Amino acid sequence: MKYMLLMQFSAAGTDFPSIDTWTQDEVRAHIAFMGEVNDKLTAAGEWVDGQGLGGPQQARIVRAGEGGTPVVTEGPFAETKEFLAGFWIVDCESPQRAVEVAAHISTAPGPGGRPLNMPIEVHPVMSAPPAEL
């Protein structure tokens, strides 16, 4: 079963500064950890895809306007306290394994090497609508 793991960043409830204030060594350690996660998932045959995402100032919200014309709301979103920082799609044998992977990702190092304990959402990837529909 495939699962999407979503790394959320929330300014509320965190006790670490934003990544743009970290030292170069702290950023490198964080990125190296993510590379190691990806390598281990690949070696285990669980890797499908994963990417870091640009910050909220680079994000766009798109809605269909009249006649389907795109209506785009551009950042920065000053009021944004939470944003999606990255994602993984993993193919795991059980929901418990997907949760284990998410917990490990949550330990990514931050300032001073301390684990960030960022929330990681775990969503099953649906291949079809439920049979009862």
Side-chain angles (χ1 to χ4, degrees):
M1 175 90 183
K2 290 185 180 137
Y3 297 87
M4 179 173 262
L5 312 179
L6 302 170
M7 177 181 270
Q8 300 281 344
F9 174 80
S10 173
T14 59
D15 62 351
F16 58 86
S18 65
I19 197 167
D20 59 341
T21 65
W22 299 5
T23 67
Q24 285 185 352
D25 287 341
E26 290 167 340
V27 172
R28 283 189 198 107
H30 183 79
I31 292 170
F33 175 90
M34 295 303 178
E36 291 169 11
V37 166
N38 297 346
D39 290 345
K40 288 177 183 176
L41 290 169
T42 300
E46 297 173 317
W47 170 264
V48 176
D49 194 8
Q51 304 294 325
L53 300 174
Q57 60 274 58
Q58 297 169 305
R60 305 293 178 261
I61 296 174
V62 180
R63 291 183 173 85
E66 191 166 325
T69 303
V71 177
V72 179
T73 304
E74 297 182 2
F77 306 106
E79 72 283 357
T80 299
K81 301 221 183 325
E82 295 180 356
F83 64 89
L84 187 58
F87 72 91
W88 289 260
I89 298 178
V90 294
D91 194 350
C92 298
E93 295 213 6
S94 69
Q96 294 80 13
R97 175 61 184 146
V99 168
E100 289 172 6
V101 172
H104 179 65
I105 291 169
S106 180
T107 68
R114 287 188 4 240
L116 294 176
N117 294 322
M118 290 176 65
I120 309 294
E121 291 184 28
V122 178
H123 294 264
V125 175
M126 308 305 290
S127 60
E132 59 271 5
L133 290 180

